[in-house]
Amino acid sequence: MLIANLLGLVAIGLIIWWFWLYHPSASAAFENEVVIEVEDGVYTPSVIQTSANKAIKLTFVRKDPSPCAEMLVIPTLDISEQLLLNTQTTITLPALKAGEYAFHCQMKMYQGMLKVV
Amino acid sequence: MTSKSSTQQLIIEGAGCASCVGKIESALKSTHGVSSAEMNFADRTVMVSGTALADELIKAVESIGYNAKVLDNQQADDIMDEKEAADRLYYKKLIRDTVIALGLGVPLMVYGLFIGEMTVETTTERISWLVVGILTFGVMYFSGKHFYAGAWKSFKNHSANMDTLIALGTGTAWLYSMVVVFAPDVVPSMARHVYFEATAMIIGLINLGLALELKARGKTSEAIKRLIGLQAKTAIVIRDEKEVEIAIEQVLKNDVVKVKPGQNIPVDGIVVEGRTTIDESMLTGEPMPVEKGENDEVVAGTLNKSGMFLFKATKVGKDTALAHIINMVKRAQNSKPPIGRLADVISAYFVPVIMIIAIISALAWLNFGPQPALALAIVSATTVLIIACPCALGLATPMSVMVGVGKAAEAGVLIRNGEALQTASKITAMILDKTGTITEGAPKVTDIILAGATNEAEVLQLAASLESGSEHPLAEAIVESAKEKQLELLKISAFEAITGFGVQAQCQGKTLLFGNVKLMQDKGIEVTGFTDQAQALAKQAKTPMYFAVDGELAAIIAVADPIKADSISAIKRLQANDIRVIMLTGDNKETAAAVALQAGISEFFAEVLPEDKANKVKDLQNHGEIVGMTGDGINDAPALALANVGFAIGTGTDVAIESADITLMRGSLHGLADAIAISKATLRNIKQNLFGAFIYNVAGVPVAAGVLYPIFGILLSPVIAGAAMAFSSLTVVSNANRLRLFKAQEH
C-alpha cells in the first residue's frame, strides 16, 4: 500500500513538472520559412523562434481530418485562416516586434507559440 | 525549402494587343526557372511552368510594362466543396470506427450484464479473455488509433488534450484487464475482473459523438456558405467589341460587364448603360429591391431582377464588398468574446488536473475503499479520466459566436469581433445621430420666409450659390431646390465654412452669410422679429436657417428632413430592451425637440458641434452607462471610436465596413435593434453552453470518483462516463445550432 501511495504521489509530481513547470525550447529556430504539420492534435513544430527584424513564412500542412484542426487563429495579429485537409496554407508575417505570439485552433486545443526575439 | 516544379496561371493587365503575347511570353521564358510560358490572349491569362516563384514571374511581367497577378483558381465555393468532401470522408471513417468498436463492445457488455461474470477464475476463462483482449487491442488500433497517436504527440509537446484522457482511460482499463488475464495471482481474487467491454464501448461511443458533432458543426457555418454562394462563377464581359463569358477571377478592373435579368452581379462596378432593379437583400437585409440607372453603383453578389445592363468593373477579386464581408464574417466567427476567456484559462489546466484527480481517486479507493479495492480504484480512475470533457468547455463559446455572427450577417449586420458582440449585448444607452440615422438624411427646402429681400427666386439662387461650396446635407437640399427651379448657380469667392455655425462667401460683390441664429448674432445681424417665425418652423421639425446679404437678414429658409418610415418602431424596440435612447444633433433646439417628439425620444442634445459628440459619449460613460453610438461612420468617427460599441449605419452597400465595431448594411434602425437582439441571444446561448459544460464537469468528475459511494453506494461505470462525455460536446454544438432558429422581432 505504501508503495502504491508513493507511486501515486510521484506520478502527481511528474504530471505537474511535465505539463506545467517544464518549458520546452523552440523546435524551429531562426528560419525564414517554417513548415508546420497539423496532425494528431498537435502542431509540429509547436514552438518557433524568429528574430524581430525579419518577416517569416509559416506554412501549415493539415493532415488531421478532425474539424478541430480546421481553423488556425493568431489572436494578437488578428489572423484566422482556414486550413484545408492535405493542403499547404502559407501565412506570411511581417517583421514583428519582440514577444510571444500564440497560435492555436478555434478551441485552443492545438497550441503553438511563435517567439520573436 | 526547395522549390518544386509547378504550373501557375497569371492574369495580365494592360495587354491590349496581340503583339503583347510574344513579349510577355519571352519575358517569362527568360526568367530563371521557367520551362514554358503560354499566353491565351482571349482571356489574358498565361500558364507558366517551372520552378520560378510567383513573385519573380510578376516582376518579369512588370519589367516590360504590364501588370500581373497570380490567378487563384480556387474560389471560395470550391474551398467549401473541398472542405465538405473532406468532412464527409471523415464522417464515414468515424462511423466505421464506431461500428467496429461497438460491434465488440455491445456483445461484451450484454454478456457481462445478463449472461456471465467478467472475471478470471479458470484457465478456460483466461484463454477466452485473452482472445477478447487481443480483439479489443484490434479495436484500439483500428478505431482508436487517432486518440493514442494524438495523446502521445501532445505528451511529447508537454501538452495534454481530450485524446490524452481517452487514451489514458481506455489504456488503463485494457492494461489492468490484461494483467488480470496474464498474471491473475498479482491481483487479489475478488479484483480479478476484466474491463475490455469498457475500452471498446468508450472508443465506440466517443467516435459516435465525434461523428454526430461533425454533422452538427456543418450547420454552424451555413451563413458563411450562403454568402460564399452569392459569388458568381462566370461573367460576360465585352472585349474587342465581343461578348465573352470568362471565369470570375479573370474579370479585370475597368472591364465592361453585361448582366442579364436573374443573374448575380459578378463584381463591383458602376452602371454605364441600362436601367434595372436590383435585390440587395442578401447583403443588406433590406427587402425592397433598389432601382439602378447610369452612374449608380452595383455590388457583387446582389441579384439583377428586371433589366439588362452594362457596368464598368471598379473592384474585382478580393477587393469587392462581398469579399470583404465574407472575410470580416469569417474573422469575427473565429474571434472570442471576453466571456470565453475563463474557459480558455481553465482548458489550459484542465487535463493535467483531471489526471491528478484520477490518481487521488484511485489512491483513496485503495486506502479506504471496500474490497475489491484495487478493481474499484481502477474503475474510478478510468471513469474520472473518461467523463471529464474539455471539449464541451472549449466548444461552448466559439460555436455560439460562429452561429451568432453568421445570423447577424444574414440580417445585414456585420459584427467586427467577439468583443463587440458581447459589449453590444450589454448596452444601456444608445446615442443616435439625427441626420441620416433617425431621419432620411435627404432634406428638402420647405419654406422661404422673406425678410429684407423681395424676390424668393433671387434669395434661393444666392443661397444655393453660397451653399454649393458646402458639404453639409442641409446645404445640398438648398442646391437641389435651386436646381429643381432651374436657377443658375453663381460664382462665389472667399468661401469660408464656420464649423457648427454656417458658411459665408462673396458673390457679385455681395457678402453672403448663411447659418444659425448664433452666427447671425456673432456677426451682429438683427434677427428680432423673425425669431418667432423661426421657432414656429422648428416646432414642425423643420430646420430654419438665416440668410443675410451685406449684413442684413434677407430671408429664413427652412429645410426639413423627414424621419425614416420605420425609425419610430425601431426606437421603440430599443427602449423595450431598457436602453436609454438619446438623440444628438447639430440642429437647433426647437427642431431637435420636434424630431425627438415624433421619434418617441425623450432625451436629446441639440446644437452639438461634431467634436462635442465624443464628449457626450464620455459623459454618459462617466455616469456608468455602456454606450452605443450610431452614426454614418464618417462624420462621427471620434464618437464612434470612443463609444463602447460604435455602429456605422450605411445606406445600401456603400459602407465603410472597416470603420466601426458593428456595421449596419441597411439604413433602417431596425438593423440596430436586430444587432442588439442577436448579440443578446448569442450571449445567452454562450452562457447556457458554458454553464452546462462547467456543471457537467464539476458534477460529473466527483461522481465518477465515487463521492456518492459512501452514502448511496453509487459508482459510475466507465461506459456510462464514455456516453456522457461523447454527448456533452454534442449538446453544446446542438444548443449553439438553436441560435440558427433565432428570429429578430418582426418589423
Side-chain angles (χ1 to χ4, degrees):
Chain A
M1 191 59 72
L2 184 70
I3 294 171
N5 286 335
L6 276 177
L7 281 176
L9 291 176
V10 168
I12 290 174
L14 283 175
I15 289 170
I16 292 171
W17 172 71
W18 187 259
F19 292 109
W20 291 327
L21 302 181
Y22 185 89
H23 292 288
S25 56
S27 34
F30 303 110
E31 286 169 35
N32 291 331
E33 265 187 83
V34 180
V35 179
I36 301 160
E37 266 189 22
V38 188
E39 198 178 12
D40 294 325
V42 288
Y43 298 119
T44 318
S46 63
V47 183
I48 296 151
Q49 203 163 23
T50 186
S51 37
N53 52 8
K54 65 178 187 188
I56 183 168
K57 267 187 187 177
L58 302 180
T59 300
F60 288 84
V61 187
R62 176 182 163 205
K63 294 182 175 170
D64 195 329
S66 161
C68 301
E70 190 182 330
M71 291 308 304
L72 172 88
V73 187
I74 314 179
T76 41
L77 303 176
D78 201 16
I79 289 174
S80 72
E81 200 67 46
Q82 187 176 17
L83 308 180
L84 282 179
L85 192 58
N86 299 320
T87 307
Q88 293 194 352
T89 309
T90 303
I91 297 171
T92 307
L93 300 176
L96 296 168
K97 280 188 200 154
E100 292 195 336
Y101 299 83
F103 56 93
H104 50 77
C105 72
Q106 214 180 23
M107 282 167 47
K108 262 194 158 176
M109 286 291 146
Y110 295 59
Q111 297 199 30
M113 182 67 76
L114 174 66
K115 291 182 175 173
V116 180
V117 288
Chain B
M1 229 168 81
T2 54
S3 306
K4 284 181 192 155
S5 181
S6 64
T7 302
Q8 302 184 66
Q9 197 174 11
L10 298 184
I11 184 151
I12 310 293
E13 289 178 18
C17 57
S19 66
C20 307
V21 174
K23 255 162 70 183
I24 292 166
E25 282 181 354
S26 61
L28 286 167
K29 280 179 190 159
S30 57
T31 306
H32 180 73
V34 171
S35 55
S36 78
E38 272 175 49
M39 179 153 174
N40 177 347
F41 182 63
D43 63 8
R44 268 69 164 175
T45 60
V46 52
M47 300 291 278
V48 190
S49 303
T51 55
L53 296 171
D55 293 351
E56 293 166 354
L57 300 177
I58 290 170
K59 265 187 208 147
V61 176
E62 282 174 351
S63 70
I64 51 164
Y66 305 98
N67 288 323
K69 59 183 182 186
V70 178
L71 189 55
D72 188 3
N73 267 327
Q74 209 172 24
Q75 262 190 278
D77 53 351
D78 294 336
I79 292 175
M80 282 316 259
D81 289 348
E82 213 171 283
K83 174 190 142 44
E84 276 172 19
D87 280 355
R88 268 197 301 276
L89 220 64
Y90 186 52
Y91 177 77
K92 274 190 191 161
K93 181 194 172 297
L94 288 171
I95 291 292
R96 194 200 66 201
D97 290 348
T98 307
V99 170
I100 293 174
L102 295 185
L104 177 69
V106 170
L108 278 179
M109 205 169 77
V110 169
Y111 174 83
L113 285 174
F114 306 109
I115 303 167
E117 288 292 319
M118 301 193 71
T119 49
V120 179
E121 304 289 346
T122 63
T123 314
T124 326
E125 278 175 350
R126 277 182 72 184
I127 293 167
S128 314
W129 285 123
L130 179 64
V131 173
V132 172
I134 292 166
L135 284 175
T136 310
F137 184 79
V139 164
M140 290 161 82
Y141 182 77
F142 285 108
S143 305
K145 195 168 59 180
H146 48 293
F147 301 130
Y148 303 103
W152 175 240
K153 284 200 176 175
S154 307
F155 178 77
K156 281 198 300 186
N157 268 350
H158 295 265
S159 69
N161 55 24
M162 188 192 79
D163 291 339
T164 315
L165 296 174
I166 298 165
L168 277 177
T170 53
T172 311
W174 184 81
L175 267 179
Y176 176 77
S177 307
M178 288 309 268
V179 170
V180 171
V181 170
F182 274 111
D185 297 340
V186 302
V187 178
S189 61
M190 280 178 76
R192 285 175 198 158
H193 197 286
V194 291
Y195 298 99
F196 296 123
E197 95 290 4
T199 302
M201 284 298 290
I202 291 164
I203 290 173
L205 287 169
I206 290 171
N207 275 318
L208 179 63
L210 287 176
L212 297 177
E213 187 189 313
L214 186 69
K215 279 272 163 200
R217 271 189 185 216
K219 292 188 188 136
T220 59
S221 53
E222 257 176 16
I224 195 92
K225 257 185 258 168
R226 204 168 301 150
L227 278 176
I228 288 168
L230 295 174
Q231 286 175 328
K233 290 209 165 197
T234 58
I236 303 169
V237 297
I238 316 282
R239 282 192 185 159
D240 307 324
E241 291 172 14
K242 274 187 234 146
E243 287 181 15
V244 255
E245 186 160 357
I246 55 172
I248 187 82
E249 313 86 64
Q250 294 171 12
V251 178
L252 302 175
K253 215 172 147 181
N254 295 330
D255 265 339
V256 174
V257 184
K258 183 174 179 179
V259 188
K260 294 176 185 168
Q263 285 182 334
N264 271 11
I265 287 145
V267 294
D268 292 357
I270 292 170
V271 178
V272 289
E273 198 183 308
R275 285 202 73 79
T276 186
T277 51
I278 288 179
D279 178 2
E280 295 187 337
S281 62
M282 53 293 281
L283 293 187
T284 63
E286 173 62 56
M288 289 296 288
V290 190
E291 286 225 16
K292 300 270 179 179
E294 259 176 58
N295 293 326
D296 284 338
E297 285 185 7
V298 288
V299 181
T302 55
L303 179 70
N304 180 27
K305 300 274 278 190
S306 53
M308 177 141 58
F309 68 96
L310 297 177
F311 75 93
K312 194 167 94 175
T314 51
K315 281 176 185 162
V316 297
K318 287 177 179 139
D319 298 326
T320 64
L322 178 62
H324 280 297
I325 291 169
I326 291 172
N327 259 338
M328 185 167 163
V329 172
K330 268 191 182 171
R331 231 185 305 158
Q333 282 185 326
N334 289 305
S335 70
K336 206 165 270 185
I339 192 172
R341 282 182 202 148
L342 178 64
D344 277 352
V345 174
I346 295 175
S347 292
Y349 296 98
F350 189 89
V351 176
V353 166
I354 294 298
M355 287 156 72
I356 292 171
I357 294 175
I359 294 170
I360 294 171
S361 162
L363 290 181
W365 279 98
L366 274 179
N367 286 297
F368 312 109
Q371 288 304 325
L374 180 61
L376 289 171
I378 294 294
V379 169
S380 75
T382 307
T383 315
V384 166
L385 290 170
I386 296 299
I387 205 164
C389 187
C391 282
L393 265 181
L395 283 168
T397 313
M399 286 294 119
S400 307
V401 171
M402 189 108 170
V403 183
V405 167
K407 194 77 202 168
E410 278 175 20
V413 176
L414 299 181
I415 298 174
R416 170 167 302 286
N417 54 33
E419 195 166 346
L421 180 81
Q422 179 169 344
T423 319
S425 75
K426 294 195 285 192
I427 286 176
T428 57
M430 176 66 77
I431 299 179
L432 303 175
D433 186 40
K434 180 180 79 79
T435 309
T437 303
I438 299 175
T439 63
E440 296 277 3
K444 289 189 172 60
V445 173
T446 55
D447 303 79
I448 298 177
I449 295 168
L450 297 177
T454 49
N455 185 336
E456 197 178 295
E458 194 188 341
V459 164
L460 189 59
Q461 186 181 32
L462 283 175
S465 306
L466 167 59
E467 289 287 29
S468 62
S470 166
E471 284 173 358
H472 197 278
L474 296 180
E476 274 175 40
I478 291 163
V479 175
E480 277 303 309
S481 176
K483 277 187 189 163
E484 271 171 29
K485 294 196 168 117
Q486 290 170 342
L487 296 170
E488 197 191 334
L489 296 185
L490 306 170
K491 214 174 159 192
I492 54 163
S493 59
F495 178 86
E496 190 191 344
I498 308 150
T499 311
F501 297 95
V503 287
Q504 72 171 13
Q506 296 287 324
C507 181
Q508 294 181 331
K510 295 173 188 156
T511 304
L512 308 181
L513 193 63
F514 195 94
N516 59 19
V517 70
K518 275 188 199 155
L519 181 68
M520 298 296 140
Q521 284 161 352
D522 282 358
K523 299 279 176 182
I525 291 162
E526 188 57 54
V527 291
T528 37
F530 288 95
T531 45
D532 288 351
Q533 291 187 54
Q535 274 176 15
L537 288 168
K539 279 184 184 141
Q540 300 163 34
K542 293 169 181 172
T543 306
M545 287 174 295
Y546 295 81
F547 180 49
V549 179
D550 286 336
E552 262 188 50
L553 186 67
I556 295 175
I557 301 179
V559 169
D561 180 10
I563 291 183
K564 287 177 196 165
D566 55 4
S567 284
I568 299 168
S569 56
I571 288 167
K572 270 193 192 137
R573 281 178 68 195
L574 290 173
Q575 288 163 336
N577 271 315
D578 290 330
I579 293 172
R580 228 174 115 182
V581 179
I582 299 149
M583 185 181 86
L584 278 195
T585 177
D587 228 333
N588 66 68
K589 278 189 189 119
E590 287 79 14
T591 312
V595 172
L597 187 72
Q598 273 188 27
I601 298 172
S602 55
E603 276 184 84
F604 66 89
F605 295 99
E607 294 167 32
V608 180
L609 298 174
E611 59 268 29
D612 284 341
K613 287 185 180 172
N615 291 335
K616 293 285 172 200
V617 171
K618 210 180 227 167
D619 276 353
L620 284 165
Q621 284 171 333
N622 289 342
H623 285 92
E625 302 277 11
I626 295 171
V627 182
M629 165 80 205
T630 309
D632 58 17
I634 304 151
N635 301 327
D636 308 317
L640 285 179
L642 192 69
N644 298 79
V645 185
F647 293 83
I649 193 157
T651 43
T653 42
D654 179 23
V655 285
I657 58 176
E658 295 296 327
S659 70
D661 296 317
I662 297 184
T663 304
L664 310 173
M665 300 285 289
R666 62 186 149 141
S668 165
L669 279 182
H670 276 291
L672 189 62
D674 287 349
I676 289 175
I678 292 169
S679 68
K680 278 185 190 287
T682 309
L683 259 289
R684 202 165 41 238
N685 196 272
I686 293 174
K687 283 179 193 164
Q688 289 162 354
N689 279 346
L690 284 175
F691 180 78
F694 273 116
I695 288 296
Y696 166 80
N697 281 301
V698 167
V701 171
V703 171
V707 290
L708 297 181
Y709 190 84
I711 307 164
F712 303 104
I714 296 173
L715 183 62
L716 279 188
S717 138
V719 177
I720 303 282
M725 193 270 202
F727 291 95
S728 63
S729 39
L730 183 63
T731 312
V732 166
V733 179
S734 306
N735 188 46
N737 264 326
R738 274 191 327 116
L739 262 184
R740 288 189 307 131
L741 307 173
F742 172 81
K743 269 203 174 66
Q745 194 180 316
E746 293 295 323
H747 46 83

